[in-house]
Every structure is written in C-alpha cells, then in structure tokens.
Short mmCIF file of all heavy atoms in Angstrom, two decimals:
data_model
loop_
_atom_site.label_atom_id
_atom_site.label_comp_id
_atom_site.label_asym_id
_atom_site.label_seq_id
_atom_site.Cartn_x
_atom_site.Cartn_y
_atom_site.Cartn_z
N MET A 165 -5.96 13.82 -67.47
CA MET A 165 -5.49 12.48 -67.22
C MET A 165 -5.22 12.29 -65.73
O MET A 165 -4.57 13.10 -65.09
CB MET A 165 -4.21 12.24 -68.02
CG MET A 165 -3.63 10.89 -67.82
SD MET A 165 -2.22 10.71 -68.91
CE MET A 165 -1.39 9.41 -68.09
N SER A 166 -5.73 11.22 -65.16
CA SER A 166 -5.49 10.97 -63.75
C SER A 166 -4.18 10.21 -63.57
O SER A 166 -3.79 9.40 -64.40
CB SER A 166 -6.64 10.16 -63.16
OG SER A 166 -6.74 8.90 -63.80
N ARG A 167 -3.50 10.50 -62.49
CA ARG A 167 -2.20 9.88 -62.24
C ARG A 167 -2.38 8.68 -61.32
O ARG A 167 -3.27 8.64 -60.50
CB ARG A 167 -1.28 10.88 -61.59
CG ARG A 167 -0.91 12.00 -62.55
CD ARG A 167 -0.05 13.04 -61.94
NE ARG A 167 0.97 12.49 -61.07
CZ ARG A 167 1.96 13.17 -60.55
NH1 ARG A 167 2.06 14.44 -60.80
NH2 ARG A 167 2.84 12.62 -59.77
N ASP A 168 -1.51 7.73 -61.48
CA ASP A 168 -1.53 6.53 -60.65
C ASP A 168 -0.72 6.77 -59.39
O ASP A 168 0.13 7.66 -59.33
CB ASP A 168 -0.95 5.36 -61.45
CG ASP A 168 -1.46 4.02 -60.99
OD1 ASP A 168 -2.07 3.95 -59.90
OD2 ASP A 168 -1.26 3.03 -61.70
N ALA A 169 -0.97 5.98 -58.38
CA ALA A 169 -0.22 6.06 -57.14
C ALA A 169 1.15 5.39 -57.32
O ALA A 169 1.36 4.63 -58.25
CB ALA A 169 -0.99 5.38 -56.01
N VAL A 170 2.06 5.65 -56.41
CA VAL A 170 3.42 5.14 -56.49
C VAL A 170 3.50 3.76 -55.83
O VAL A 170 3.04 3.56 -54.71
CB VAL A 170 4.41 6.10 -55.81
CG1 VAL A 170 5.81 5.52 -55.79
CG2 VAL A 170 4.40 7.45 -56.52
N ASP A 171 4.09 2.81 -56.55
CA ASP A 171 4.36 1.47 -56.03
C ASP A 171 5.59 1.57 -55.12
O ASP A 171 6.67 1.93 -55.57
CB ASP A 171 4.63 0.51 -57.19
CG ASP A 171 4.83 -0.92 -56.76
OD1 ASP A 171 5.13 -1.17 -55.57
OD2 ASP A 171 4.71 -1.81 -57.62
N LYS A 172 5.44 1.28 -53.83
CA LYS A 172 6.54 1.45 -52.89
C LYS A 172 7.71 0.51 -53.19
O LYS A 172 8.85 0.85 -52.89
CB LYS A 172 6.05 1.22 -51.47
CG LYS A 172 5.16 2.33 -50.97
CD LYS A 172 4.74 2.11 -49.54
CE LYS A 172 3.83 3.22 -49.07
NZ LYS A 172 3.37 3.03 -47.70
N LYS A 173 7.44 -0.64 -53.79
CA LYS A 173 8.52 -1.58 -54.10
C LYS A 173 9.39 -1.09 -55.25
O LYS A 173 10.61 -1.15 -55.18
CB LYS A 173 7.96 -2.96 -54.47
CG LYS A 173 7.39 -3.72 -53.31
CD LYS A 173 6.93 -5.09 -53.76
CE LYS A 173 6.32 -5.85 -52.61
NZ LYS A 173 5.85 -7.16 -53.03
N THR A 174 8.78 -0.60 -56.31
CA THR A 174 9.52 -0.21 -57.51
C THR A 174 9.75 1.30 -57.61
O THR A 174 10.52 1.74 -58.45
CB THR A 174 8.78 -0.66 -58.78
OG1 THR A 174 7.53 0.03 -58.84
CG2 THR A 174 8.56 -2.16 -58.80
N LYS A 175 9.06 2.08 -56.78
CA LYS A 175 9.12 3.54 -56.82
C LYS A 175 8.56 4.12 -58.12
O LYS A 175 8.81 5.26 -58.46
CB LYS A 175 10.55 4.06 -56.59
CG LYS A 175 11.22 3.53 -55.35
CD LYS A 175 10.54 3.99 -54.10
CE LYS A 175 11.34 3.54 -52.88
NZ LYS A 175 10.58 3.08 -51.79
N LYS A 176 7.82 3.32 -58.87
CA LYS A 176 7.22 3.79 -60.12
C LYS A 176 5.76 4.15 -59.88
O LYS A 176 5.11 3.64 -58.98
CB LYS A 176 7.30 2.70 -61.19
CG LYS A 176 8.72 2.40 -61.63
CD LYS A 176 8.72 1.36 -62.72
CE LYS A 176 10.13 1.03 -63.16
NZ LYS A 176 10.14 -0.01 -64.19
N ARG A 177 5.25 5.01 -60.73
CA ARG A 177 3.86 5.46 -60.63
C ARG A 177 2.96 4.51 -61.43
O ARG A 177 2.42 4.86 -62.47
CB ARG A 177 3.76 6.90 -61.14
CG ARG A 177 2.47 7.57 -60.74
CD ARG A 177 2.51 9.05 -61.01
NE ARG A 177 3.30 9.78 -60.03
CZ ARG A 177 2.85 10.12 -58.81
NH1 ARG A 177 1.66 9.79 -58.42
NH2 ARG A 177 3.63 10.79 -57.99
N ASN A 178 2.85 3.27 -60.93
CA ASN A 178 2.06 2.26 -61.63
C ASN A 178 1.37 1.31 -60.66
O ASN A 178 1.19 0.13 -60.97
CB ASN A 178 2.96 1.47 -62.58
CG ASN A 178 3.95 0.59 -61.83
OD1 ASN A 178 4.25 0.82 -60.66
ND2 ASN A 178 4.46 -0.41 -62.48
N LEU A 179 0.97 1.79 -59.51
CA LEU A 179 0.44 0.91 -58.48
C LEU A 179 -0.80 0.14 -58.93
O LEU A 179 -0.92 -1.05 -58.67
CB LEU A 179 0.13 1.71 -57.22
CG LEU A 179 -0.30 0.88 -56.01
CD1 LEU A 179 0.77 -0.14 -55.65
CD2 LEU A 179 -0.59 1.79 -54.83
N SER A 180 -1.72 0.75 -59.63
CA SER A 180 -2.94 0.04 -60.04
C SER A 180 -2.61 -1.07 -61.03
O SER A 180 -3.20 -2.15 -60.98
CB SER A 180 -3.96 1.01 -60.63
OG SER A 180 -3.50 1.59 -61.82
N VAL A 181 -1.66 -0.83 -61.92
CA VAL A 181 -1.24 -1.87 -62.87
C VAL A 181 -0.55 -3.01 -62.12
O VAL A 181 -0.81 -4.18 -62.39
CB VAL A 181 -0.30 -1.28 -63.94
CG1 VAL A 181 0.26 -2.38 -64.83
CG2 VAL A 181 -1.03 -0.26 -64.78
N ALA A 182 0.29 -2.67 -61.16
CA ALA A 182 1.00 -3.70 -60.38
C ALA A 182 0.02 -4.57 -59.61
O ALA A 182 0.17 -5.80 -59.56
CB ALA A 182 1.99 -3.04 -59.42
N ARG A 183 -1.02 -3.97 -59.03
CA ARG A 183 -2.02 -4.76 -58.30
C ARG A 183 -2.78 -5.69 -59.25
O ARG A 183 -3.01 -6.85 -58.94
CB ARG A 183 -3.01 -3.83 -57.60
CG ARG A 183 -2.49 -3.20 -56.38
CD ARG A 183 -3.61 -2.49 -55.63
NE ARG A 183 -3.08 -1.87 -54.44
CZ ARG A 183 -3.28 -0.62 -54.09
NH1 ARG A 183 -4.04 0.15 -54.83
NH2 ARG A 183 -2.74 -0.14 -53.00
N ALA A 184 -3.20 -5.16 -60.38
CA ALA A 184 -3.94 -5.97 -61.35
C ALA A 184 -3.06 -7.12 -61.87
O ALA A 184 -3.52 -8.26 -62.00
CB ALA A 184 -4.42 -5.10 -62.50
N LYS A 185 -1.79 -6.84 -62.14
CA LYS A 185 -0.86 -7.87 -62.64
C LYS A 185 -0.64 -8.95 -61.58
O LYS A 185 -0.53 -10.13 -61.89
CB LYS A 185 0.47 -7.22 -63.03
CG LYS A 185 1.55 -8.19 -63.45
CD LYS A 185 1.46 -8.52 -64.91
CE LYS A 185 2.69 -9.22 -65.46
NZ LYS A 185 2.95 -10.55 -64.97
N TYR A 186 -0.59 -8.57 -60.32
CA TYR A 186 -0.41 -9.54 -59.24
C TYR A 186 -1.56 -10.54 -59.22
O TYR A 186 -1.35 -11.76 -59.10
CB TYR A 186 -0.31 -8.82 -57.89
CG TYR A 186 -0.10 -9.74 -56.73
CD1 TYR A 186 1.18 -10.14 -56.36
CD2 TYR A 186 -1.18 -10.26 -56.01
CE1 TYR A 186 1.38 -11.01 -55.31
CE2 TYR A 186 -0.99 -11.13 -54.96
CZ TYR A 186 0.30 -11.49 -54.61
OH TYR A 186 0.49 -12.37 -53.57
N ILE A 187 -2.80 -10.07 -59.35
CA ILE A 187 -3.96 -10.95 -59.37
C ILE A 187 -3.95 -11.81 -60.62
O ILE A 187 -4.24 -13.01 -60.57
CB ILE A 187 -5.27 -10.12 -59.27
CG1 ILE A 187 -5.30 -9.33 -57.98
CG2 ILE A 187 -6.49 -11.03 -59.40
CD1 ILE A 187 -5.21 -10.16 -56.71
N TYR A 188 -3.60 -11.24 -61.75
CA TYR A 188 -3.47 -11.97 -63.02
C TYR A 188 -2.49 -13.12 -62.86
O TYR A 188 -2.77 -14.27 -63.21
CB TYR A 188 -3.01 -10.99 -64.09
CG TYR A 188 -2.66 -11.60 -65.43
CD1 TYR A 188 -3.62 -11.76 -66.41
CD2 TYR A 188 -1.36 -11.96 -65.72
CE1 TYR A 188 -3.29 -12.29 -67.65
CE2 TYR A 188 -1.01 -12.49 -66.95
CZ TYR A 188 -1.99 -12.66 -67.91
OH TYR A 188 -1.66 -13.18 -69.13
N ASP A 189 -1.31 -12.83 -62.30
CA ASP A 189 -0.29 -13.86 -62.10
C ASP A 189 -0.76 -14.93 -61.12
O ASP A 189 -0.51 -16.11 -61.31
CB ASP A 189 1.02 -13.23 -61.61
CG ASP A 189 1.71 -12.40 -62.66
OD1 ASP A 189 1.40 -12.56 -63.87
OD2 ASP A 189 2.56 -11.57 -62.28
N TYR A 190 -1.46 -14.52 -60.06
CA TYR A 190 -1.99 -15.47 -59.08
C TYR A 190 -2.97 -16.43 -59.73
O TYR A 190 -2.88 -17.65 -59.54
CB TYR A 190 -2.67 -14.71 -57.93
CG TYR A 190 -3.35 -15.63 -56.95
CD1 TYR A 190 -2.65 -16.25 -55.93
CD2 TYR A 190 -4.72 -15.90 -57.06
CE1 TYR A 190 -3.27 -17.09 -55.04
CE2 TYR A 190 -5.35 -16.76 -56.18
CZ TYR A 190 -4.62 -17.35 -55.17
OH TYR A 190 -5.24 -18.22 -54.29
N LEU A 191 -3.91 -15.91 -60.51
CA LEU A 191 -4.89 -16.76 -61.16
C LEU A 191 -4.24 -17.69 -62.19
O LEU A 191 -4.62 -18.86 -62.31
CB LEU A 191 -5.99 -15.92 -61.82
CG LEU A 191 -6.89 -15.17 -60.85
CD1 LEU A 191 -7.82 -14.21 -61.60
CD2 LEU A 191 -7.70 -16.12 -59.99
N ALA A 192 -3.23 -17.20 -62.90
CA ALA A 192 -2.49 -18.02 -63.85
C ALA A 192 -1.79 -19.17 -63.11
O ALA A 192 -1.79 -20.31 -63.57
CB ALA A 192 -1.50 -17.18 -64.62
N LYS A 193 -1.21 -18.87 -61.98
CA LYS A 193 -0.52 -19.87 -61.16
C LYS A 193 -1.50 -20.95 -60.66
O LYS A 193 -1.15 -22.11 -60.51
CB LYS A 193 0.15 -19.18 -59.97
CG LYS A 193 0.96 -20.08 -59.08
CD LYS A 193 1.63 -19.25 -58.00
CE LYS A 193 2.08 -20.13 -56.85
NZ LYS A 193 2.59 -19.35 -55.74
N LYS A 194 -2.75 -20.55 -60.45
CA LYS A 194 -3.79 -21.47 -59.99
C LYS A 194 -4.44 -22.25 -61.13
O LYS A 194 -5.35 -23.02 -60.92
CB LYS A 194 -4.87 -20.72 -59.21
CG LYS A 194 -4.38 -20.17 -57.89
CD LYS A 194 -3.99 -21.29 -56.95
CE LYS A 194 -3.57 -20.77 -55.61
NZ LYS A 194 -3.21 -21.83 -54.68
N GLY A 195 -4.00 -22.00 -62.40
CA GLY A 195 -4.48 -22.80 -63.51
C GLY A 195 -5.37 -22.12 -64.52
O GLY A 195 -5.78 -22.75 -65.50
N VAL A 196 -5.67 -20.85 -64.35
CA VAL A 196 -6.49 -20.15 -65.33
C VAL A 196 -5.58 -19.80 -66.52
O VAL A 196 -4.50 -19.24 -66.34
CB VAL A 196 -7.11 -18.87 -64.74
CG1 VAL A 196 -7.93 -18.14 -65.80
CG2 VAL A 196 -7.98 -19.20 -63.53
N ASP A 197 -6.01 -20.15 -67.71
CA ASP A 197 -5.23 -19.91 -68.92
C ASP A 197 -5.06 -18.40 -69.15
O ASP A 197 -6.03 -17.65 -69.15
CB ASP A 197 -5.94 -20.54 -70.12
CG ASP A 197 -5.13 -20.50 -71.40
OD1 ASP A 197 -4.07 -19.86 -71.45
OD2 ASP A 197 -5.60 -21.12 -72.38
N LYS A 198 -3.83 -17.98 -69.37
CA LYS A 198 -3.53 -16.57 -69.58
C LYS A 198 -4.23 -16.01 -70.82
O LYS A 198 -4.52 -14.81 -70.89
CB LYS A 198 -2.03 -16.33 -69.70
CG LYS A 198 -1.31 -16.48 -68.38
CD LYS A 198 0.16 -16.15 -68.53
CE LYS A 198 0.85 -16.22 -67.19
NZ LYS A 198 2.25 -15.80 -67.27
N LYS A 199 -4.55 -16.86 -71.78
CA LYS A 199 -5.25 -16.41 -72.99
C LYS A 199 -6.67 -15.98 -72.67
O LYS A 199 -7.30 -15.27 -73.46
CB LYS A 199 -5.28 -17.52 -74.03
CG LYS A 199 -3.92 -17.85 -74.58
CD LYS A 199 -4.00 -19.01 -75.55
CE LYS A 199 -2.63 -19.44 -76.00
NZ LYS A 199 -2.67 -20.65 -76.83
N ARG A 200 -7.19 -16.41 -71.52
CA ARG A 200 -8.56 -16.07 -71.14
C ARG A 200 -8.64 -14.83 -70.27
O ARG A 200 -9.73 -14.44 -69.85
CB ARG A 200 -9.18 -17.26 -70.39
CG ARG A 200 -9.26 -18.52 -71.25
CD ARG A 200 -9.82 -19.69 -70.47
NE ARG A 200 -11.17 -19.35 -70.00
CZ ARG A 200 -11.70 -19.83 -68.89
NH1 ARG A 200 -11.05 -20.66 -68.13
NH2 ARG A 200 -12.92 -19.49 -68.54
N MET A 201 -7.51 -14.23 -69.96
CA MET A 201 -7.49 -13.11 -69.02
C MET A 201 -6.73 -11.92 -69.60
O MET A 201 -5.93 -12.08 -70.51
CB MET A 201 -6.78 -13.52 -67.72
CG MET A 201 -7.39 -14.66 -66.99
SD MET A 201 -6.57 -14.93 -65.40
CE MET A 201 -4.93 -15.48 -65.89
N LYS A 202 -7.00 -10.77 -69.04
CA LYS A 202 -6.19 -9.58 -69.28
C LYS A 202 -6.27 -8.73 -68.02
O LYS A 202 -7.17 -8.90 -67.20
CB LYS A 202 -6.64 -8.80 -70.50
CG LYS A 202 -7.97 -8.11 -70.37
CD LYS A 202 -8.28 -7.31 -71.62
CE LYS A 202 -9.63 -6.63 -71.49
NZ LYS A 202 -9.92 -5.82 -72.67
N TYR A 203 -5.33 -7.84 -67.86
CA TYR A 203 -5.35 -6.95 -66.70
C TYR A 203 -5.17 -5.52 -67.15
O TYR A 203 -4.52 -5.23 -68.15
CB TYR A 203 -4.29 -7.35 -65.67
CG TYR A 203 -2.87 -7.23 -66.15
CD1 TYR A 203 -2.14 -6.08 -65.92
CD2 TYR A 203 -2.25 -8.27 -66.82
CE1 TYR A 203 -0.83 -5.96 -66.36
CE2 TYR A 203 -0.95 -8.17 -67.27
CZ TYR A 203 -0.25 -7.01 -67.02
OH TYR A 203 1.05 -6.90 -67.46
N VAL A 204 -5.78 -4.61 -66.40
CA VAL A 204 -5.75 -3.18 -66.72
C VAL A 204 -5.65 -2.42 -65.40
O VAL A 204 -6.40 -2.71 -64.47
CB VAL A 204 -7.02 -2.73 -67.46
CG1 VAL A 204 -7.01 -1.24 -67.72
CG2 VAL A 204 -7.20 -3.50 -68.74
N GLY A 205 -4.76 -1.47 -65.33
CA GLY A 205 -4.70 -0.57 -64.19
C GLY A 205 -5.56 0.65 -64.48
O GLY A 205 -5.38 1.31 -65.50
N MET A 206 -6.49 0.95 -63.62
CA MET A 206 -7.43 2.04 -63.87
C MET A 206 -7.00 3.37 -63.23
O MET A 206 -7.72 4.35 -63.29
CB MET A 206 -8.83 1.67 -63.35
CG MET A 206 -9.40 0.43 -64.02
SD MET A 206 -9.47 0.55 -65.81
CE MET A 206 -10.83 1.66 -65.99
N ARG A 207 -5.80 3.38 -62.64
CA ARG A 207 -5.27 4.57 -61.98
C ARG A 207 -6.28 5.07 -60.96
O ARG A 207 -6.80 4.30 -60.17
CB ARG A 207 -4.89 5.62 -63.01
CG ARG A 207 -3.83 5.12 -63.97
CD ARG A 207 -3.32 6.18 -64.89
NE ARG A 207 -4.31 6.88 -65.66
CZ ARG A 207 -4.65 6.57 -66.90
NH1 ARG A 207 -4.09 5.57 -67.50
NH2 ARG A 207 -5.54 7.27 -67.53
N ARG A 208 -6.58 6.32 -60.97
CA ARG A 208 -7.52 6.90 -59.99
C ARG A 208 -8.83 7.32 -60.67
O ARG A 208 -9.47 8.27 -60.27
CB ARG A 208 -6.88 8.09 -59.30
CG ARG A 208 -5.67 7.70 -58.49
CD ARG A 208 -5.05 8.87 -57.82
NE ARG A 208 -3.87 8.43 -57.08
CZ ARG A 208 -3.17 9.19 -56.30
NH1 ARG A 208 -3.50 10.45 -56.12
NH2 ARG A 208 -2.13 8.72 -55.68
N LYS A 209 -9.22 6.58 -61.68
CA LYS A 209 -10.40 6.96 -62.47
C LYS A 209 -11.72 6.74 -61.75
O LYS A 209 -12.67 7.46 -61.96
CB LYS A 209 -10.43 6.18 -63.79
CG LYS A 209 -9.38 6.60 -64.77
CD LYS A 209 -9.52 5.84 -66.05
CE LYS A 209 -8.46 6.25 -67.05
NZ LYS A 209 -8.55 5.53 -68.30
N PHE A 210 -11.80 5.73 -60.90
CA PHE A 210 -13.07 5.37 -60.26
C PHE A 210 -12.91 5.23 -58.74
O PHE A 210 -13.06 4.14 -58.20
CB PHE A 210 -13.61 4.06 -60.85
CG PHE A 210 -13.77 4.11 -62.33
CD1 PHE A 210 -12.86 3.47 -63.16
CD2 PHE A 210 -14.83 4.79 -62.91
CE1 PHE A 210 -13.00 3.51 -64.54
CE2 PHE A 210 -14.97 4.84 -64.29
CZ PHE A 210 -14.06 4.20 -65.10
N PRO A 211 -12.64 6.32 -58.03
CA PRO A 211 -12.46 6.22 -56.58
C PRO A 211 -13.77 5.88 -55.88
O PRO A 211 -14.86 6.17 -56.39
CB PRO A 211 -11.98 7.62 -56.20
CG PRO A 211 -12.52 8.51 -57.27
CD PRO A 211 -12.52 7.68 -58.53
N LEU A 212 -13.64 5.27 -54.72
CA LEU A 212 -14.82 4.91 -53.94
C LEU A 212 -15.41 6.11 -53.20
O LEU A 212 -16.53 6.08 -52.75
CB LEU A 212 -14.47 3.81 -52.92
CG LEU A 212 -14.14 2.46 -53.53
CD1 LEU A 212 -13.67 1.50 -52.44
CD2 LEU A 212 -15.33 1.89 -54.25
N GLY A 213 -14.62 7.17 -53.04
CA GLY A 213 -15.14 8.37 -52.40
C GLY A 213 -14.63 8.57 -51.00
O GLY A 213 -14.92 9.58 -50.39
N GLY A 214 -13.88 7.62 -50.46
CA GLY A 214 -13.32 7.77 -49.12
C GLY A 214 -11.91 8.33 -49.20
O GLY A 214 -11.49 8.92 -50.19
N ALA A 215 -11.18 8.11 -48.14
CA ALA A 215 -9.78 8.52 -48.10
C ALA A 215 -8.97 7.73 -49.13
O ALA A 215 -9.20 6.53 -49.29
CB ALA A 215 -9.21 8.32 -46.70
N PRO A 216 -8.05 8.36 -49.83
CA PRO A 216 -7.27 7.65 -50.87
C PRO A 216 -6.56 6.41 -50.36
O PRO A 216 -6.47 5.41 -51.07
CB PRO A 216 -6.27 8.70 -51.34
CG PRO A 216 -6.90 10.01 -51.01
CD PRO A 216 -7.71 9.77 -49.76
N GLU A 217 -6.07 6.43 -49.11
CA GLU A 217 -5.36 5.26 -48.59
C GLU A 217 -6.29 4.08 -48.34
O GLU A 217 -5.84 2.95 -48.20
CB GLU A 217 -4.57 5.61 -47.33
CG GLU A 217 -5.39 6.07 -46.16
CD GLU A 217 -5.64 7.58 -46.14
OE1 GLU A 217 -5.27 8.29 -47.09
OE2 GLU A 217 -6.24 8.03 -45.16
N LEU A 218 -7.58 4.32 -48.32
CA LEU A 218 -8.56 3.24 -48.13
C LEU A 218 -9.12 2.74 -49.47
O LEU A 218 -9.88 1.80 -49.50
CB LEU A 218 -9.70 3.71 -47.24
CG LEU A 218 -9.30 4.17 -45.84
CD1 LEU A 218 -10.52 4.68 -45.10
CD2 LEU A 218 -8.61 3.06 -45.07
N ASP A 219 -8.77 3.40 -50.55
CA ASP A 219 -9.31 3.07 -51.87
C ASP A 219 -8.37 2.11 -52.60
O ASP A 219 -7.76 2.45 -53.59
CB ASP A 219 -9.51 4.35 -52.68
CG ASP A 219 -10.37 4.11 -53.90
OD1 ASP A 219 -11.09 3.10 -53.95
OD2 ASP A 219 -10.33 4.96 -54.81
N ARG A 220 -8.26 0.92 -52.05
CA ARG A 220 -7.38 -0.10 -52.64
C ARG A 220 -8.22 -1.32 -52.97
O ARG A 220 -8.69 -2.02 -52.08
CB ARG A 220 -6.27 -0.48 -51.66
CG ARG A 220 -5.40 0.69 -51.34
CD ARG A 220 -4.33 0.30 -50.37
NE ARG A 220 -3.47 1.45 -50.15
CZ ARG A 220 -3.01 1.79 -48.96
NH1 ARG A 220 -3.32 1.08 -47.91
NH2 ARG A 220 -2.23 2.83 -48.85
N ARG A 221 -8.40 -1.56 -54.24
CA ARG A 221 -9.22 -2.71 -54.62
C ARG A 221 -8.82 -3.19 -56.01
O ARG A 221 -8.21 -2.46 -56.78
CB ARG A 221 -10.69 -2.34 -54.62
CG ARG A 221 -11.10 -1.39 -55.74
CD ARG A 221 -12.55 -0.99 -55.59
NE ARG A 221 -13.04 -0.23 -56.71
CZ ARG A 221 -12.90 1.07 -56.87
NH1 ARG A 221 -12.23 1.78 -55.99
NH2 ARG A 221 -13.43 1.68 -57.91
N VAL A 222 -9.18 -4.42 -56.27
CA VAL A 222 -9.04 -5.00 -57.60
C VAL A 222 -10.40 -5.57 -57.92
O VAL A 222 -11.00 -6.28 -57.13
CB VAL A 222 -7.98 -6.12 -57.63
CG1 VAL A 222 -7.99 -6.83 -58.96
CG2 VAL A 222 -6.59 -5.55 -57.35
N GLU A 223 -10.94 -5.20 -59.07
CA GLU A 223 -12.23 -5.72 -59.51
C GLU A 223 -11.99 -6.74 -60.61
O GLU A 223 -11.15 -6.54 -61.48
CB GLU A 223 -13.11 -4.59 -60.00
CG GLU A 223 -13.46 -3.61 -58.92
CD GLU A 223 -14.35 -2.48 -59.40
OE1 GLU A 223 -14.90 -2.58 -60.52
OE2 GLU A 223 -14.51 -1.50 -58.66
N ILE A 224 -12.74 -7.84 -60.55
CA ILE A 224 -12.65 -8.88 -61.56
C ILE A 224 -13.98 -8.94 -62.29
O ILE A 224 -15.03 -9.06 -61.66
CB ILE A 224 -12.32 -10.24 -60.91
CG1 ILE A 224 -10.96 -10.15 -60.22
CG2 ILE A 224 -12.35 -11.34 -61.95
CD1 ILE A 224 -10.60 -11.35 -59.41
N LEU A 225 -13.93 -8.85 -63.60
CA LEU A 225 -15.12 -8.90 -64.43
C LEU A 225 -15.17 -10.25 -65.14
O LEU A 225 -14.29 -10.57 -65.93
CB LEU A 225 -15.11 -7.77 -65.47
CG LEU A 225 -16.22 -7.76 -66.49
CD1 LEU A 225 -17.57 -7.53 -65.82
CD2 LEU A 225 -15.96 -6.68 -67.53
N VAL A 226 -16.17 -11.06 -64.83
CA VAL A 226 -16.37 -12.34 -65.49
C VAL A 226 -17.29 -12.09 -66.67
O VAL A 226 -18.42 -11.63 -66.52
CB VAL A 226 -17.00 -13.38 -64.52
CG1 VAL A 226 -17.24 -14.69 -65.23
CG2 VAL A 226 -16.10 -13.58 -63.32
N THR A 227 -16.81 -12.41 -67.87
CA THR A 227 -17.59 -12.12 -69.07
C THR A 227 -18.24 -13.34 -69.68
O THR A 227 -19.11 -13.22 -70.52
CB THR A 227 -16.71 -11.45 -70.15
OG1 THR A 227 -15.63 -12.32 -70.47
CG2 THR A 227 -16.17 -10.12 -69.64
N TYR A 228 -17.82 -14.53 -69.26
CA TYR A 228 -18.39 -15.75 -69.81
C TYR A 228 -18.18 -16.89 -68.84
O TYR A 228 -17.11 -17.04 -68.28
CB TYR A 228 -17.74 -16.10 -71.15
CG TYR A 228 -18.22 -17.42 -71.73
CD1 TYR A 228 -19.45 -17.52 -72.37
CD2 TYR A 228 -17.45 -18.56 -71.63
CE1 TYR A 228 -19.89 -18.71 -72.89
CE2 TYR A 228 -17.88 -19.76 -72.14
CZ TYR A 228 -19.10 -19.85 -72.79
OH TYR A 228 -19.55 -21.03 -73.29
N VAL A 229 -19.22 -17.69 -68.65
CA VAL A 229 -19.13 -18.91 -67.85
C VAL A 229 -19.67 -20.04 -68.71
O VAL A 229 -20.83 -20.00 -69.11
CB VAL A 229 -19.94 -18.80 -66.54
CG1 VAL A 229 -19.87 -20.10 -65.77
CG2 VAL A 229 -19.42 -17.64 -65.69
N GLY A 230 -18.82 -21.00 -69.05
CA GLY A 230 -19.23 -22.12 -69.88
C GLY A 230 -20.05 -23.14 -69.10
O GLY A 230 -20.14 -23.10 -67.88
N LYS A 231 -20.64 -24.06 -69.81
CA LYS A 231 -21.42 -25.13 -69.18
C LYS A 231 -20.50 -26.13 -68.52
O LYS A 231 -19.45 -26.47 -69.03
CB LYS A 231 -22.26 -25.86 -70.24
CG LYS A 231 -23.33 -25.01 -70.86
CD LYS A 231 -24.13 -25.82 -71.83
CE LYS A 231 -25.19 -24.97 -72.51
NZ LYS A 231 -25.96 -25.74 -73.48
N ALA A 232 -20.91 -26.60 -67.37
CA ALA A 232 -20.16 -27.64 -66.65
C ALA A 232 -20.35 -28.96 -67.40
O ALA A 232 -21.45 -29.29 -67.84
CB ALA A 232 -20.63 -27.76 -65.22
N GLU A 233 -19.27 -29.69 -67.55
CA GLU A 233 -19.36 -30.97 -68.27
C GLU A 233 -19.38 -32.12 -67.33
O GLU A 233 -18.90 -32.15 -66.29
CB GLU A 233 -18.18 -31.10 -69.23
CG GLU A 233 -18.27 -30.06 -70.32
CD GLU A 233 -17.13 -30.21 -71.31
OE1 GLU A 233 -16.53 -31.30 -71.41
OE2 GLU A 233 -16.85 -29.22 -71.99
#
C-alpha cells in the first residue's frame, strides 16, 4: 500500500484527498452539481517520475458531455 503525503495545514496524511476535495468544492461553488462529481485521492500510486515535490497534480476525468441545447 502506498502512503499519502502529509497535508501541512491539517498535519494528516491525506494530501491527495485534500487536493481532490478542494477542486471538487471549487467546481461545486461554480455551479457544477455535486451529484455529477466525485473525488478520489490516489496517494502516490501514479507518480510522474520526477522529484516528489514536483509531482503535484489533480486530474479531471470527463465521462459524459451532453448535447448543447
């Protein structure tokens, strides 16, 4: 099992979850329905291969785009 990095604000080992939740909350604030979204922290499962301090990203997967009305 891979471990997550430490969130400096909360001192908890959940940094990837905190980042994903921040983007989720931002999109909800901008009007995206929370029922259409979910967030997942991937911990250190898929590193980019560089230095760990440079491996900070949030990926968004769009699974459906409806027709414009």
Side-chain angles (χ1 to χ4, degrees):
M165 179 176 159
S166 63
R167 293 177 41 171
D168 206 346
V170 175
D171 184 341
K172 289 182 181 179
K173 288 183 182 179
T174 64
K175 307 295 186 220
K176 293 182 181 178
R177 195 168 284 280
N178 69 339
L179 186 58
S180 65
V181 174
R183 284 189 180 131
K185 175 86 166 68
Y186 181 87
I187 299 301
Y188 173 89
D189 291 341
Y190 174 84
L191 292 172
K193 183 177 162 186
K194 292 296 183 179
V196 179
D197 187 353
K198 288 184 176 185
K199 293 177 185 174
R200 299 178 59 210
M201 300 186 293
K202 69 177 180 178
Y203 63 94
V204 177
M206 300 304 286
R207 300 187 305 265
R208 296 180 182 186
K209 289 183 180 179
F210 304 104
L212 292 174
E217 62 272 6
L218 301 177
D219 194 18
R220 298 180 177 138
R221 70 185 188 276
V222 172
E223 296 181 13
I224 298 172
L225 175 65
V226 178
T227 59
Y228 175 78
V229 177
K231 293 182 182 179
E233 294 182 22

